[in-house]
Amino acid sequence: MKSLRSFVSRYPIYTLATTAIFGVVATLGFAEDTNKNGKKLVVGFSQVGAESGWRTANTESIKSEAAKRGIDLRFSDAQQKEENQIKAIRSFIAQGVDVIAFSPVVETGFEPVLQEAKKAGIPVVLSDRAVKVSDPSLYKCFIGSDFIEEGRRAANEVVKLTGGKGGIAELVGTVGSAPAIDRAKGFREVLEKYPDLKIVMSQSGDFTRAKGKEVMEAFLKAPNAKDITVLFAHNDDMALGAIQAMEEAGIKPGQDIKIVSIDGVRGAFEAMKDGKLNVTVECNPLLGPQLFDLIEKVAKGEEVPHRVVTQEGVYEQSQAATELPKRQY
Ligand code: GYE
């Protein structure tokens, strides 16, 4: 202490400069977000898993944004199992976190645990996927894409590619998940207007590349395999797996069988550049900044909209080369 005091008196200018630098660093980099009581904000986040490129980008966005804001993030990976998510949420309640956020693997079955959170006075924010509950007050806000619209957009692209005629093989996402249910719904809604465009096969590939490949292999071995002129995959990873299966079977993906998928991850743009994928409908995973803006408001007891829809686009093969360098995920 004594030596510090003598340093300060001898070199006041250095001390001043150092203090200023520390001050700037503190405000820019290490500013911490706080809860109602002025303490560091504690957020429990239960993630679906690590099933796709989309999910990896989503996790990274959430973790880096929390770190930037100095939030104490308790992150838990459910490995695509609802029971793991319910356990994680219960543990967040027991820990007394300020806010619980999660991306529900499926739509149903969360009502009891959400009631427990409500009883404990812990607000819940849904990220990316929705739940079906009888009481909408069980969560404060749901931020995510409009999956029905994504399904419609995918169908419109299938119509453009086929001229409204053909046989569709559909690789469905995780059974019971909001994106699988809603994308299928939006897709069918558009197809109704095209009687010559029919779904000839449909099966779940659980949003993973490995399952997408496996199911596509089975599709290609089916007695009516010749009827497939176009593939609709509920996400890019399954499409990328299916591309492999087609190539191994001597079929030219993107030509012999046209392919439309959803997400817009880098791998999809690369496949489009190579002419193997025709269209990807964007679904933005970079939810971190918007999600934590909402979480902070919820933590302070401020009003937030019950539904926040993210903005996204559609990309065709001809745009792949110019878009690829700009992709953030
Ligand atoms: O499309 C898929 C991921 O819920 C929107 O989940 C997300 C979906 C995304 O596994 O790649």
Side-chain angles (χ1 to χ4, degrees):
M1 207 51 202
K2 203 172 156 207
S3 58
L4 179 69
R5 229 177 279 139
S6 64
F7 179 88
V8 171
S9 58
R10 239 189 286 166
Y11 306 107
I13 190 71
Y14 291 133
T15 317
L16 207 72
T18 320
T19 319
I21 289 165
F22 272 124
V24 170
V25 169
T27 28
L28 286 182
F30 301 111
E32 284 184 352
D33 285 356
T34 52
N35 63 13
K36 266 189 218 150
N37 312 317
K39 290 214 190 96
K40 190 172 183 164
L41 192 65
V42 183
V43 177
F45 188 91
S46 166
Q47 179 61 292
V48 169
E51 74 283 3
S52 63
W54 190 100
R55 190 64 54 197
T56 310
N58 181 246
T59 294
E60 162 54 24
S61 170
I62 288 162
K63 284 187 174 170
S64 62
E65 191 62 27
K68 217 191 260 173
R69 296 179 188 223
I71 287 170
D72 178 355
L73 179 72
R74 317 262 165 100
F75 185 91
S76 171
D77 177 339
Q79 300 181 326
Q80 283 190 283
K81 291 203 177 76
E82 180 172 34
E83 69 217 65
N84 291 346
Q85 279 200 304
I86 293 174
K87 263 190 226 152
I89 296 168
R90 287 222 166 97
S91 132
F92 295 147
I93 298 172
Q95 292 168 48
V97 301
D98 295 309
V99 179
I100 292 172
F102 77 115
S103 178
V105 59
V106 289
E107 282 189 338
T108 55
F110 287 102
E111 187 127 11
V113 77
L114 289 177
Q115 262 151 5
E116 290 168 35
K118 195 177 176 185
K119 248 188 230 147
I122 303 175
V124 174
V125 174
L126 301 179
S127 170
D128 155 40
R129 297 185 181 179
V131 290
K132 277 220 161 66
V133 283
S134 56
D135 174 5
S137 79
L138 287 177
Y139 63 89
K140 293 278 179 216
C141 174
F142 162 41
I143 173 176
S145 314
D146 180 344
F147 298 136
I148 299 184
E149 180 55 27
E150 290 172 352
R152 287 189 200 114
R153 288 179 182 165
N156 285 326
E157 294 299 320
V158 166
V159 170
K160 276 201 236 164
L161 286 167
T162 58
K165 237 182 176 179
I168 304 165
E170 181 187 33
L171 277 170
V172 179
T174 300
V175 175
S177 71
I181 295 167
D182 290 351
R183 286 170 184 169
K185 196 169 160 192
F187 191 78
R188 281 160 180 74
E189 200 184 288
V190 173
L191 280 200
E192 264 176 33
K193 289 177 257 158
Y194 300 90
D196 295 332
L197 204 46
K198 286 198 180 71
I199 297 175
V200 291
M201 283 170 221
S202 175
Q203 204 180 308
S204 171
D206 211 14
F207 281 132
T208 69
R209 199 177 286 215
K211 268 282 183 65
K213 178 168 188 260
E214 202 182 296
V215 176
M216 192 69 223
E217 279 165 1
F219 282 169
L220 294 175
K221 283 185 194 136
N224 59 338
K226 288 183 308 318
D227 297 343
I228 308 171
T229 56
V230 52
L231 171 72
F232 167 42
H234 284 198
N235 81 342
D236 291 339
D237 278 71
M238 291 190 295
L240 295 172
I243 286 173
Q244 256 179 288
M246 288 181 202
E247 286 181 325
E248 284 172 19
I251 290 166
K252 282 202 184 95
Q255 291 180 36
D256 299 337
I257 297 179
K258 304 268 195 271
I259 310 175
V260 174
S261 63
I262 300 180
D263 275 356
V265 297
R266 187 174 297 278
F269 279 83
E270 277 157 3
M272 285 202 291
K273 223 175 120 197
D274 296 343
K276 297 177 180 179
L277 179 81
N278 300 86
V279 176
T280 185
V281 172
E282 188 177 40
C283 178
N284 185 8
L286 307 178
L287 301 181
Q290 264 182 295
L291 175 67
F292 284 106
D293 280 350
L294 291 164
I295 287 176
E296 281 168 14
K297 286 199 178 131
V298 164
K300 287 184 197 136
E302 290 173 19
E303 280 303 311
V304 290
H306 203 243
R307 174 76 168 110
V308 176
V309 184
T310 46
Q311 297 294 316
E312 31 222 24
V314 177
Y315 297 94
E316 298 180 356
Q317 229 173 50
S318 56
Q319 299 163 276
T322 43
E323 280 302 317
L324 189 56
K326 296 187 232 160
R327 298 306 288 174
Q328 283 181 279
Y329 57 94

